[in-house]
Amino acid sequence: MRKSALFSEFRSKAIAAGFEIPIKSESPPVEYVLCRKNPTWAIQVIVKGRLWAERDLLKQNIWIAFPEAENTSPRNWYIVPHGVIVAHCKIRHANTQSWKDGLYHKPRLSKDMVALYEQYKIEALCGYSPELIQLLLMQNAKKWE
């Protein structure tokens, strides 16, 4: 899927879930700032076509937005703190060459990964309070230590 189509799908899903229109970021590597009014909070998001983690993004409080595989129906979108994905990679994929090189990505989520990331589905995330988002960010930071 082309990047522009991916951004379009992400934007539509985010708005349908109850977020404000995603704001294009001027601070790479962040692509969007995703905001929620009532309650108010915002997160920095990079949109990818698959589950993605890389060492260069550590300790930046970035969230990764990605969809399930294209042939999945309905096609769910997830927005996961990058540190959560990294912690998962350290446990499950520490000995793979790609992770040793500083990058891990997976085009299709396994059943256990779907369960692991359930709380980060875009529709669930939209309903979270600012306090819960802050708690998730704090947990995310601890995973980097």
Side-chain angles (χ1 to χ4, degrees), residues 7 10-11 21-35 42-47 60-63:
F7 284 143
F10 166 70
R11 185 177 186 270
I21 296 172
I23 301 165
K24 196 88 164 124
S25 173
E26 307 264 331
S27 305
V30 174
E31 296 171 326
Y32 284 100
V33 176
L34 195 58
C35 302
I43 55 176
Q44 300 179 89
V45 178
I46 296 176
V47 179
Q60 294 189 41
N61 273 341
I62 291 173
W63 296 54

Side-chain angles (χ1 to χ4, degrees), residues 129-142:
S129 68
E131 294 80 17
L132 183 53
I133 292 296
Q134 194 59 39
L135 178 64
L136 290 172
L137 286 172
M138 287 170 39
Q139 289 174 342
N140 188 28
K142 287 180 182 177

Side-chain angles (χ1 to χ4, degrees), residues 48 50-54 57 64 66 82 85 103-105:
K48 294 291 186 183
R50 58 181 61 202
L51 176 72
W52 188 279
E54 60 184 281
L57 299 177
I64 306 296
F66 61 92
H82 182 259
I85 299 170
L103 176 67
Y104 178 78
H105 55 91

Side-chain angles (χ1 to χ4, degrees), residues 63-82:
W63 296 54
I64 306 296
F66 61 92
E68 285 183 304
E70 285 190 49
N71 62 349
T72 307
S73 183
R75 184 166 147 119
N76 293 308
W77 273 77
Y78 301 86
I79 306 176
V80 183
H82 182 259

